[in-house]
Amino acid sequence: MALTYQQTKLVKDTIPALKEHGERITSIFYKTMLIDHPELNNYFNSVNQKNGRQPRALTAVILGFASSINHLSELVPKFERMCNKHCSLGIQPEHYEVVGKYLIQAFGEVLGPAMTPEVQTAWTKAYWMLANMLIGREAQLYRDFESWPSWRPFKIDRIVNECDDLYSFYLIPQDGKKLPRFLPGQYISVQIQVPGGYFQSRQYSLSEAWREDYYRITIRRDEGTVYSNSVSKSFFNPGTVSNYLIDQTAVGSVLKVSHPAGEFFLDVNNTSTMPLVLISAGVGVTPMVSIANTVMESQPGRQIAWIHGCRKHVPFEEHIGSLRKKNCNFHTKIFKTVINSADRPGETYDYNERMDLAKLKPEELYLQHGGTEYFICGPEDFMINQKLYLMQQGVPASRIQCEIFTTGDLAFKQG
C-alpha cells in the first residue's frame, strides 16, 4: 500500500536527522540484531561490520530511498545490484521481518522524541514498500536459478598461480551436472566456515567464458589475514576468505558455491557490433577476461580495446598477448608503474605510469562511436575517476558499467 501524502512528508522530514545520525542508527541496528540473532552472522561480511562499511552502506540505502521516495524508479538500477547480491547469499523473505523490526527499533532509540507514533508508522510502511520491492525482484531471480537456489558443492580441480599473489581456481560441480550459462562479467559467491563457527561468503568474478563443465575464479592474496596451523588470527581481518582459499585449500577441496549473479555483465543476447572498451586495474582484470574471451569466441569481428593498469605484472599476460596476436580487432594499452629488465615498450607495457586515459588518443577509446560500450573494474576510486573522465568526454553514463560489489555507499554515489 502506498504512503499517504502526510506519511511521505514525515519520511522526507527525517532526512536531516538521518544525515546527521544515520551511521549511529545503522550501527545500533546491526549490533542489536546480531546479538539477538547470531545466526545472521552467516550472511553479513564481518570485515565490513568491523570497519563500518556495512553501516555506511545501509545508511546510504536508507537516505537514497527516503530522498527518492516519490521517484523510486530512479533507484531500480541500485536495487538490482542489491537483489543480485542478496540472492548470491541466499537471503529469504523471512529475513526482512527481522531486519524491519530492529531497524525501526534503532530509529526510535536514536531519534528519541522525534520518532513519534506517526513517524514510526510512516517509516514502517515505507520500509515494507522497499522490502516488498526487493522480495519481488529476488523471487524472480531465484526462479531464474531454477534447481540451484542455494549453496552447491564444487570441487577444486586445478589451481594456477597466474602472477605474484594471483591464483585461478578451476571449480567443477560435485554432482557432475552441466553448469548453467552465465553472462560474462557476473560473479559467484564462495562460502567458508571461519573460526567461531560462522560462515563467511565473498563474491568472485568468473574469469573465463562459460564452460559447461567448470567455472573459473581468480583470487588475489590480501595481506590483511595471516593463517597459521589452519587458523586465522581473526575472521574480522581483510582477506579472511581469499587468503583461506589460497593457503588452506588444495586440489580436491570442496567449496560451497552460489549460482552466478550480478548486474555487471555484457549482454550476449545483444548482437551489437559497436566497439567494446574494457578498463581495469589490478585484480579487476578478472571479469574482463571473461568478457574478452566470450566476445572473441562469439563475435571475433567486434573491435575491443583493453586498457589495464598494474604495478609490476599484468595478470593473464600471456593469454592477453595471444588474443592480440590471433585477432587484429583486439587492442591493448598497458600502464605499469614498475618496469623491470624484461619489459619491452609496446609489448609488455605502453606507459610507465599510473593509468591516465587522457594519454590515449580519442580513437583508441573509440570516443567517436556513439554506441561504444565501456566496462570498468578495479579499486573504487579508480572506477569513479575513469567513469568521470569518460563522461567529461561526452560518453553518457548509460554506456558505462562499473563492477560494484557494495550495495550501499559507492553504489549510491554512481549517477
Side-chain angles (χ1 to χ4, degrees):
M1 186 182 296
L3 296 176
T4 65
Y5 170 80
Q6 185 59 31
Q7 288 172 331
T8 300
K9 186 176 184 302
L10 287 172
V11 168
K12 293 179 79 70
D13 285 347
T14 61
I15 290 177
L18 290 176
K19 288 181 177 178
E20 183 178 355
H21 304 293
E23 284 189 40
R24 185 177 166 216
I25 291 172
T26 52
S27 295
I28 290 172
F29 153 72
Y30 280 117
K31 181 179 179 181
T32 307
M33 181 179 69
L34 293 176
I35 288 174
D36 290 353
H37 292 272
E39 73 280 2
L40 294 181
N41 281 294
N42 292 323
Y43 296 92
F44 292 106
N45 184 317
S46 60
V47 175
N48 289 342
Q49 287 290 327
K50 184 180 180 182
N51 64 24
R53 183 168 184 177
Q54 191 93 55
R56 286 196 300 275
L58 180 57
T59 301
V61 170
I62 294 170
L63 279 169
F65 175 71
S67 301
S68 303
I69 200 163
N70 291 326
H71 308 282
L72 292 181
S73 61
E74 297 176 1
L75 298 180
V76 168
K78 299 173 179 66
F79 289 160
E80 184 67 12
R81 182 177 302 119
M82 187 183 303
C83 291
N84 273 270
K85 178 78 171 287
H86 284 179
C87 289
S88 80
L89 295 172
I91 298 297
Q92 299 297 324
E94 56 266 28
H95 294 132
Y96 286 92
E97 292 275 358
V98 178
V99 168
K101 171 186 173 181
Y102 287 91
L103 185 61
I104 299 302
Q105 184 176 305
F107 270 53
E109 183 173 339
V110 175
L111 298 182
M115 190 68 166
T116 64
E118 292 77 19
V119 172
Q120 179 174 333
T121 298
W123 258 110
T124 300
K125 199 170 176 181
Y127 168 78
W128 279 107
M129 281 178 60
L130 171 60
N132 287 327
M133 288 175 64
L134 300 178
I135 290 170
R137 176 56 182 146
E138 287 159 18
Q140 292 177 333
L141 290 172
Y142 280 128
R143 283 195 293 272
D144 292 341
F145 292 177
E146 297 177 338
S147 60
W148 184 1
S150 186
W151 300 103
R152 182 175 175 182
F154 276 66
K155 184 172 68 174
I156 299 176
D157 184 58
R158 188 155 50 109
I159 302 174
V160 176
N161 182 201
E162 301 292 354
C163 70
D164 297 332
D165 284 334
L166 198 67
Y167 298 82
S168 285
F169 289 72
Y170 290 75
L171 309 175
I172 58 175
Q174 266 199 320
D175 57 21
K177 293 181 180 179
K178 179 179 177 180
L179 291 170
R181 290 182 177 274
F182 59 85
L183 295 168
Q186 290 189 306
Y187 58 79
I188 56 174
S189 287
V190 176
Q191 186 184 73
I192 66 166
Q193 192 165 21
V194 297
Y198 297 119
F199 292 97
Q200 284 288 283
S201 306
R202 296 294 185 271
Q203 291 69 49
Y204 297 103
S205 297
L206 291 151
S207 61
E208 173 61 290
W210 173 78
R211 302 288 183 255
E212 66 176 29
D213 56 343
Y214 73 87
Y215 285 158
R216 184 178 75 180
I217 57 176
T218 304
I219 301 172
R220 182 182 63 189
R221 179 186 300 281
D222 192 305
E223 296 180 359
T225 297
V226 177
Y227 281 88
S228 176
N229 297 325
S230 301
V231 177
S232 167
K233 290 184 177 179
S234 171
F235 74 95
F236 290 115
N237 287 340
T240 296
V241 178
S242 295
N243 290 4
Y244 176 90
L245 293 173
I246 292 171
D247 294 333
Q248 302 299 319
T249 65
V251 171
S253 296
V254 176
L255 305 174
K256 291 182 178 180
V257 174
S258 74
H259 191 286
E263 87 303 333
F264 177 86
F265 57 78
L266 176 70
D267 186 358
V268 295
N269 298 312
N270 177 6
T271 56
S272 170
T273 58
M274 285 295 177
L276 189 62
V277 177
L278 310 177
I279 304 170
S280 57
V283 76
V285 70
T286 54
M288 305 310 187
V289 177
S290 178
I291 293 172
N293 287 354
T294 301
V295 175
M296 289 294 97
E297 292 174 9
S298 61
Q299 291 182 287
R302 190 172 184 181
Q303 294 286 338
I304 298 183
W306 190 339
I307 299 97
H308 183 72
C310 63
R311 195 164 171 270
K312 292 182 180 179
H313 301 108
V314 179
F316 302 101
E317 184 172 36
E318 185 175 334
H319 175 68
I320 293 170
S322 70
L323 291 179
R324 192 171 54 230
K325 290 177 182 178
K326 290 177 183 177
N327 194 320
C328 62
N329 296 314
F330 185 84
H331 313 279
T332 62
K333 291 295 178 184
I334 305 298
F335 289 79
K336 271 190 179 184
T337 55
V338 179
I339 302 300
N340 61 52
S341 58
D343 277 317
R344 299 175 300 280
E347 278 190 61
T348 61
Y349 76 100
D350 298 282
Y351 299 93
N352 180 204
E353 59 185 289
R354 294 171 66 88
M355 185 181 291
D356 181 1
L357 294 183
K359 299 284 185 180
L360 303 180
K361 299 174 183 177
E363 56 267 28
E364 291 174 327
L365 290 170
Y366 295 101
L367 293 173
Q368 72 276 23
H369 289 267
T372 302
E373 295 181 68
Y374 298 85
F375 290 80
I376 308 173
C377 187
E380 293 178 357
D381 287 344
F382 168 85
M383 291 191 289
I384 292 173
N385 290 336
Q386 310 316 313
K387 181 175 181 178
L388 179 61
Y389 176 80
L390 292 173
M391 292 177 67
Q392 289 172 340
Q393 307 313 304
V395 179
S398 60
R399 288 199 279 117
I400 306 171
Q401 285 202 53
C402 294
E403 172 65 298
I404 305 170
F405 282 122
T406 180
T407 57
D409 46 1
L410 178 65
F412 277 82
K413 290 178 186 176
Q414 301 299 300

